[in-house]
Amino acid sequence: MNWQQVIDPLNNIGLSALLAVVPILFIFWALIIRKMKGYQASLIATGLAILIAILAYGMPVKLALLSTLNGALYGLFPICWIIITAVFLFNITVQSGQFEIIKHYMASITSDRRLQALLIAFSFGSFLEGMAGFGAPVAITAALLVGLGFNPLYAAGICLIANTAPVAFGSVGIPITVASQVSAIPEMAISQMVGRTLPILSVFLPFYLVVIMAGFRKTREVLPAIIVAGVSFAFLQWFSSNTLGPALPDVIAGIGSIVSLIVLLKFWKPKSTWRFPSEPAPTINTDVYYTPGQIVRAWSPFILLTIVIIAWGTKPIKDVFNAVGQVQFGFPGLHEAILDTTGNAIPHLFKFNYLSATGTAILLSALISVPLVGMRYDEAAKVFGQTIRQLTFPIITIAAVLGFAYIVNDSGISITMAAALANTGVLFPFFAPMLGWLGVFITGSDTSANALFGKLQATTATSIGVDPVVTVSANVSGGVIGKMISPQSIAVAAAAGDLVGKESELFRFTVKHSFYMLLFICLIVLAQAYTFSWIIPQYQMIVAGRASVIPDFTQGYVYLMILATVLVAFVASIWFMNKKKVYPKMS
């Protein structure tokens, strides 16, 4: 027998919304005031959500528990799979001793922490978000910064805040694709609208990041780098999103920003080198010389990661992998057992895409890297076991957080909060980004938030005479601001940044910045809706669904052959460059 979701269990939308928000308020209280460990706060919040779903919303106990279990399994795969493999790749770089060469190389470009943050957290993180997403960019960049000697709290916090700029176009534009599917607004129109909102934030974000790290006075010393990073990224993000669509803005803007910064640093350096006040003096021996072959070898895990993730992100390869390496099934006892408010059955499909998953791409990069960095596979296996033990509590946290997200969505709790905000009338455009922010806080994913609230955004905007592309795009843009405080993101960053058990510190570090940026986006969207309506792109609503296309696997196999050729060529070049051992020259 099916159970139908309830929006207003207390027959008063205001009171129902207050009840619905209790688990979220608990998370804020637990992490900010009580300073609980992340896994404790997540488990208790999930328990609260289950109780409210059963006692107030009338959700059957069996469905409530199955929904939570479904979410926890999604947390384990693909989310935890990404984190485990990303940290494993980083750990083999450290254990093999190659990360010392990376630190030396970064110091030769710049040993200034402000500039390293711009290069790695902002620019490289944006590139990774465009290709992978799902927590991988924060995991990899936070681990890199900690390895370089950053204060762990600042490394994780800066990477979370920097990750706001690219999230909307992450994973080759999937968040916008989903927003288009649920709202019937063309992808290109949403891409253009988001591309006319987020670059305003992106251009100021490098400045904001450095101010957080070093204060305003020290920020002025690196204004040339800040301007180059922000302007190059924002311009390319705007241009590509408005002309090419949602798939490539992060990739293009990330690469453009990296190249622009490196070129600048060839001709300009800050007057002084800034490091964290409590940071010990650098121990890197500048008299040591590493050959280009040694440097490329040290960076090979991350170069391979970039190559493989680019390949994994292409549709032909995904189609092949999903055809031969995916298990999908309706979740027993839950699939189509819940009806939404319109009476339609909600599908609950568990997709175990073990080949096309981003974590598998990272694992392949790590496995190819093992001999390149001078390790044996038995040594790498031990490192993998150490990585699992290192991530025990983050894995529990992420599973609990995703269980929380699923029970909140399936029970109708999240819809209650959305319905309350939708009743704000002409002020709804101001609150529209808050829906996206709330959705990402709950689910940890801009894609999921758009699937959850995209249709509501469109219908509410139409009812008050506002162009729906404004509010649907606001859901996307507001969502990126919620990413930095989502319990899922906090758990990922804490795991990578050596802050396990200190998630509350990291949450307190980012939460105020999330509110500042959210207010900024809300004001921009309100102005777009009523004052600067000329900025809204012209488009036609999608009337009929798109015809399904049977993928042509031939192109996918060709892409795989090209990938294999590139990987073999890269490995061979590393071997050739290091065939003759060159030892560091000591003066």
Side-chain angles (χ1 to χ4, degrees), residues 58-80:
M59 190 178 192
V61 174
K62 176 185 174 182
L63 291 181
L65 296 178
L66 285 174
S67 175
T68 306
L69 177 61
N70 188 20
L73 289 177
Y74 179 77
L76 295 176
F77 185 91
I79 305 301
C80 285

Side-chain angles (χ1 to χ4, degrees), residues 203-285:
V203 76
F204 290 110
L205 193 55
F207 177 82
Y208 193 78
L209 292 172
V210 178
V211 168
I212 292 171
M213 288 176 58
F216 182 74
R217 188 172 65 85
K218 290 295 182 181
T219 299
R220 289 185 299 173
E221 296 178 359
V222 290
L223 272 180
I226 288 171
I227 293 170
V228 166
V231 171
S232 62
F233 185 93
F235 171 76
L236 290 171
Q237 187 183 49
W238 164 79
F239 179 79
S240 54
S241 63
N242 276 266
T243 58
L244 302 176
L248 293 175
D250 286 349
V251 178
I252 293 172
I255 291 174
S257 182
I258 291 170
V259 171
S260 299
L261 270 175
I262 290 176
V263 170
L264 173 70
L265 293 175
K266 290 289 184 181
F267 303 97
W268 170 88
K269 300 285 184 186
K271 292 181 180 179
S272 61
T273 298
W274 184 86
R275 304 176 79 86
F276 290 98
S278 58
E279 189 177 343
T283 57
I284 296 174
N285 185 354

Side-chain angles (χ1 to χ4, degrees), residues 2-6 59 63 67 70 330-331 333-350 406-415 451-452:
N2 291 355
W3 174 79
Q4 188 164 10
Q5 289 178 333
V6 178
M59 190 178 192
L63 291 181
S67 175
N70 188 20
F331 202 87
L334 186 64
H335 179 56
E336 297 186 343
I338 299 174
L339 305 180
D340 64 20
T341 55
T342 62
N344 295 318
I346 300 174
H348 285 82
L349 298 172
F350 189 82
Y406 271 58
I407 184 63
V408 166
N409 290 340
D410 284 341
S411 64
I413 291 174
S414 58
I415 304 297
L452 192 61

Side-chain angles (χ1 to χ4, degrees), residues 515-531:
F515 283 120
Y516 295 156
M517 293 184 190
L518 178 62
L519 177 61
F520 182 62
I521 293 294
C522 288
L523 292 172
I524 289 175
V525 172
L526 186 64
Q528 289 172 338
Y530 297 118
T531 306

Side-chain angles (χ1 to χ4, degrees), residues 283-337:
T283 57
I284 296 174
N285 185 354
T286 56
D287 294 328
V288 175
Y289 170 77
Y290 292 106
T291 66
Q294 290 173 308
I295 294 170
V296 173
R297 180 189 183 192
W299 278 101
S300 61
F302 301 100
I303 297 172
L304 284 166
L305 174 71
T306 302
I307 294 170
V308 174
I309 280 183
I310 288 174
W312 247 246
T314 61
K315 188 175 183 301
I317 288 181
K318 277 186 177 294
D319 287 341
V320 170
F321 284 163
N322 286 334
V324 301
Q326 174 174 288
V327 177
Q328 180 171 293
F329 56 89
F331 202 87
L334 186 64
H335 179 56
E336 297 186 343

Side-chain angles (χ1 to χ4, degrees), residues 136-216:
V138 169
I140 292 166
T141 54
L144 273 171
L145 290 183
V146 170
L148 288 172
F150 269 60
N151 176 305
L153 179 62
Y154 277 87
I158 289 298
C159 288
L160 282 170
I161 297 170
N163 194 233
T164 57
V167 164
F169 301 103
S171 301
V172 290
I174 292 298
I176 289 177
T177 299
V178 170
S180 171
Q181 290 171 347
V182 300
S183 66
I185 298 173
E187 278 183 24
M188 192 63 188
I190 301 175
S191 176
Q192 289 172 330
M193 196 67 214
V194 174
R196 298 172 191 185
T197 304
L198 284 184
I200 302 172
L201 179 66
S202 299
V203 76
F204 290 110
L205 193 55
F207 177 82
Y208 193 78
L209 292 172
V210 178
V211 168
I212 292 171
M213 288 176 58
F216 182 74

